[in-house]
Amino acid sequence: MNPNEPKNQLASKTSPWRDRRERGIGWVLLGSASLSVATTIGIVVVLFREAFEFFSKVPVTDFLFGTRWTPLLEPRHFGVLPLLSGTMMIVVGSAVIAIPLGLASAIYLSEYSTPRIRTVLKPVLEILAGIPTVVYGFFALTFVTPLLQAVLPQTNVFNAASASIVVGIMILPMIASLCDDALRAVPDELRQGGYAVGATSMEVTLRIVLPGALSGVLASFVLALSRAIGETMAVTLAAGMTPKLTANYLESIGTMTAYIVQVSLGDTPTGTIEYNTIFAVGALLFLITLVMNVLAHRILQRYREVYE
Amino acid sequence: MTPSNHLATQVDEAAEKAPNGTPDSLRDHTTVLESRDLVVRYGTTEAVKGITLEIPEKMVTAIIGPSGCGKSTFLRTLNRMNDFVPSVSISGHVFYRGTDLYSRDVDPVEARRRIGMVFQKPNPFPKSIFRNVSWGPAINGVPKRQLPDLVEDSLRKAALWDEVKDRLHDSALGLSGGQQQRLCIARSLAMEPEILLMDEPCSALDPVSTGKIEDLMFELKKRYTMVIVTHNMQQAARVSDYTAFLEAGVLVEFDDTDQLFTNPSVRRTEEYVTGRFG
């Protein structure tokens, strides 16, 4: 070694174990992260393997376009449309309730409320999002349905309207909270520009802030509705388990999720075709929500650079 | 000491510090906008401490002063843009042709239609160039068929027409900073205001764009009354007819621009304009 070479001033003074410990922590963290990814992959693999088994017995076209769903009774029919229409009724019904109310709440929170009201209202809204869905289910059965029956006596005990209302209430905080974030992300300078040319608060809100926040607002709708599609407990309890093609909100229906509950609860033996049906329905459900989540993501990306 | 006494003291101090509160030459002009004993507080902090100032018609009045002297706050009270600051409270008066802007029966929206504002940072709407200019008139009831002419006229007045006439329907966000600021001026002009308030309109711009905006101000003062807040003293000297010097929320001196820059009567003004502080 050259004696003139300067001494290393930055040599490690701590124990050689430190490096190993740091590396070990890295591995543990990576393991935790991988676990959730692996679980997701596992679920998808199982879902589609069982679904393929189902489709080896029932043609895909019969499943997708059939209008009768009676897999547990003879004669058996495996048309998923009644389940799909049940789910769509809940989505449409809850959207009618949650979108206007959620957007109005968000506009109020972001544009009209004072900081003081906001600090009270926003946490309350988030508590609403934390209520277990089964609670919403019996709230529908014991409160909303009797109320509906008082107004419209022909309402069934299990009905789509009651389920739509509680699912709407359930996804409302999500829409309100995400829209509020989107509206507040619109720079204040734009509002001031609007006021400076003689606009009222309403004109500024509807014609400058809302268009500016459109991507976030639309994405929040899609995300909330994809949650409505997947919602299980409340719709099973309130809307019933009788799949049928109908547009009458006062009748009992059956959604995709309610059917999965029904089969999972009963004593359906593994390997039978009835057993396989829930994987086919589950796979379809998975695909629909996946498409909606991708859609929401795309909407957000597409309009991201709208102001800058 | 009660708050109102405290306020009175502040005004007295301001009056003492400002022997030239209303320059003699101002007598030759009509006053369009006048603040009287104007006090603005943010919560408990006083940003403007009793300013009395007359803005002459079809002149450029510059407001200068060190950062935090209350000049932007003062400007924003002149068309009630401070209404949107949650903790703000205002006392005293602002008269627009004899009407107190802060009296109960004044519609602030109507006030802002007459008294336009251009901001420090260009803030075009994320819409087309055309829609940026036509937006204000359209929501205020100007018929759709009149909009194209109005847009052209406003863009010409703002010296932007030749640069954008072939891409009126492109996004305004594709314009340069200087062009965006002229677009914001055109947007204000489309409302056919009487007064244009400008809050450091060039501070975010390069020297070439700044030059263009200053040229534009010369052109615009033939038709409009302008009040410009600036921290650039050369700019105030170049573009304005009258200059007010503010410090710590108090009007220190108000005079002809030439007079104020060459022969200020208050020592503090002299120190500021010669660059000894600020």
Side-chain angles (χ1 to χ4, degrees):
Chain A
M1 196 176 151
N2 183 353
N4 292 331
E5 198 174 282
K7 186 171 174 280
N8 179 2
Q9 304 281 330
L10 302 174
S12 173
K13 292 191 180 73
T14 50
S15 79
W17 284 99
R18 192 184 65 178
D19 280 355
R20 290 193 204 172
R21 200 172 63 222
E22 287 292 323
R23 232 174 293 147
I25 290 170
W27 284 110
V28 169
L29 295 177
L30 177 66
S32 323
S34 320
L35 198 64
S36 64
V37 176
T39 312
T40 311
I41 293 171
I43 289 173
V44 173
V45 167
V46 171
L47 201 57
F48 281 93
R49 200 185 54 209
E50 299 285 340
F52 275 121
E53 205 162 309
F54 172 77
F55 288 122
S56 66
K57 297 170 195 161
V58 177
V60 179
T61 48
D62 281 10
F63 175 73
L64 285 180
F65 304 112
T67 55
R68 293 180 68 188
W69 181 259
T70 54
L72 306 177
L73 306 163
E74 294 293 343
R76 296 185 182 197
H77 292 281
F78 298 99
V80 81
L81 284 182
L83 289 181
L84 199 59
S85 87
T87 294
M88 285 307 142
M89 278 173 83
I90 301 294
V91 170
V92 171
S94 60
V96 164
I97 292 182
I99 287 179
L101 287 179
L103 191 54
S105 315
I107 287 176
Y108 175 73
L109 279 176
S110 145
E111 307 297 312
Y112 287 85
S113 73
T114 61
R116 208 165 167 188
I117 296 177
R118 211 185 126 74
T119 50
V120 177
L121 272 187
K122 194 127 196 222
V124 170
L125 211 59
E126 269 144 26
I127 288 171
L128 207 58
I131 296 173
T133 62
V134 65
V135 175
Y136 280 100
F138 69 71
F139 170 70
L141 266 185
T142 59
F143 182 76
V144 181
T145 301
L147 210 65
L148 285 172
Q149 283 172 325
V151 185
L152 302 161
Q154 72 272 35
T155 311
N156 294 358
V157 174
F158 298 106
N159 63 81
S162 175
S164 298
I165 291 169
V166 292
V167 173
I169 296 170
M170 203 184 301
I171 62 175
L172 192 153
M174 190 176 179
I175 292 182
S177 189
L178 290 174
C179 285
D180 176 51
D181 295 343
L183 294 172
R184 284 163 63 82
V186 174
D188 226 20
E189 288 91 48
L190 293 184
R191 292 182 184 88
Q192 298 195 354
Y195 288 126
V197 291
T200 60
S201 293
M202 195 40 108
E203 285 159 347
V204 167
T205 302
L206 294 183
R207 301 193 191 203
I208 292 176
V209 181
L210 199 55
L214 197 62
S215 62
V217 168
L218 291 179
S220 84
F221 293 170
V222 178
L223 285 175
L225 293 183
S226 99
R227 181 160 170 220
I229 289 175
E231 171 43 40
T232 308
M233 276 324 290
V235 296
T236 310
L237 282 177
M241 300 188 192
T242 42
K244 65 179 96 143
L245 267 178
T246 176
N248 186 350
Y249 270 89
L250 304 179
E251 279 181 38
S252 165
I253 56 161
T255 65
M256 296 160 81
T257 49
Y259 173 73
I260 295 173
V261 170
Q262 188 184 4
V263 173
S264 312
L265 283 179
D267 30 27
T268 315
T270 13
T272 61
I273 190 155
E274 301 93 291
Y275 175 80
N276 286 335
T277 52
I278 62 172
F279 290 95
V281 173
L284 184 60
L285 203 56
F286 170 78
L287 284 178
I288 294 173
T289 47
L290 180 71
V291 165
M292 289 187 74
N293 282 296
V294 170
L295 188 69
H297 191 70
R298 282 281 171 84
I299 292 172
L300 272 177
Q301 288 294 320
R302 181 157 176 197
Y303 299 104
R304 177 158 282 174
E305 295 153 335
V306 72
Y307 29 72
E308 263 329 311
Chain B
M1 194 192 260
T2 65
S4 61
N5 282 339
H6 175 65
L7 176 60
T9 316
Q10 290 288 358
V11 175
D12 287 346
E13 278 172 14
E16 276 169 24
K17 275 188 198 166
N20 286 357
T22 43
D24 293 340
S25 63
L26 210 61
R27 296 280 161 252
D28 306 335
H29 303 286
T30 316
T31 298
V32 283
L33 210 52
E34 179 188 357
S35 76
R36 205 176 289 162
D37 303 333
L38 188 72
V39 176
V40 184
R41 290 189 193 82
Y42 294 121
T44 53
T45 333
E46 267 186 1
V48 171
K49 302 172 181 172
I51 291 185
T52 297
L53 182 67
E54 291 178 26
I55 308 288
E57 185 176 32
K58 292 193 176 148
M59 292 278 146
V60 177
T61 303
I63 300 174
I64 60 169
S67 298
C69 71
K71 54 193 192 297
S72 284
T73 299
F74 175 72
L75 190 77
R76 279 157 184 261
T77 57
L78 299 182
N79 72 341
R80 297 198 54 171
M81 283 301 291
N82 266 344
D83 288 13
F84 306 108
V85 182
S87 60
V88 80
S89 73
I90 291 160
S91 57
H93 306 277
V94 176
F95 293 104
Y96 163 75
R97 295 199 181 278
T99 307
D100 190 343
L101 279 183
Y102 288 88
S103 78
R104 231 167 231 283
D105 48 356
V106 162
D107 175 7
V109 173
E110 185 56 38
R112 288 181 215 115
R113 284 173 196 155
R114 305 258 185 113
I115 309 170
M117 186 166 226
V118 175
F119 299 85
Q120 184 168 359
K121 195 181 147 204
N123 58 349
F125 302 136
K127 302 176 188 294
S128 72
I129 293 167
F130 184 93
R131 295 251 287 147
N132 259 278
V133 183
S134 69
W135 194 83
I139 61 163
N140 285 296
V142 172
K144 212 169 176 180
R145 64 193 150 73
Q146 290 177 19
L147 291 177
D149 285 344
L150 183 59
V151 168
E152 177 173 347
D153 188 47
S154 308
L155 286 169
R156 279 188 193 282
K157 282 185 197 155
L160 188 60
W161 174 253
D162 291 330
E163 293 164 54
V164 300
K165 63 183 175 198
D166 300 321
R167 47 172 174 150
L168 287 177
H169 297 284
D170 291 0
S171 169
L173 302 180
L175 298 174
S176 72
Q179 288 172 325
Q180 286 187 2
Q181 192 63 303
R182 276 179 284 150
L183 180 66
C184 292
I185 294 174
R187 183 172 74 187
S188 295
L189 296 181
M191 291 301 296
E192 295 172 347
E194 201 180 332
I195 304 167
L196 209 49
L197 308 177
M198 296 191 176
D199 189 359
E200 304 197 20
C202 302
S203 66
L205 305 180
D206 62 82
V208 175
S209 304
T210 300
K212 283 185 183 170
I213 304 254
E214 288 180 4
D215 291 346
L216 180 57
M217 286 185 217
F218 273 112
E219 212 39 53
L220 291 176
K221 76 175 179 187
K222 293 172 190 161
R223 288 188 243 203
Y224 303 93
T225 301
M226 280 186 282
V227 183
I228 170 175
V229 160
T230 178
H231 58 218
N232 178 337
M233 280 178 279
Q234 288 76 25
Q235 183 172 58
R238 275 194 302 265
V239 303
S240 72
D241 302 295
Y242 288 90
T243 299
F245 170 55
L246 264 56
E247 193 185 4
V250 174
L251 176 65
V252 177
E253 186 166 1
F254 181 44
D255 211 335
D256 285 2
T257 297
D258 290 342
Q259 187 73 22
L260 187 131
F261 278 97
T262 56
N263 190 17
S265 48
V266 181
R267 201 184 147 76
R268 205 59 188 153
T269 313
E270 187 186 338
E271 286 173 357
Y272 184 70
V273 299
T274 52
R276 248 170 276 171
F277 76 99

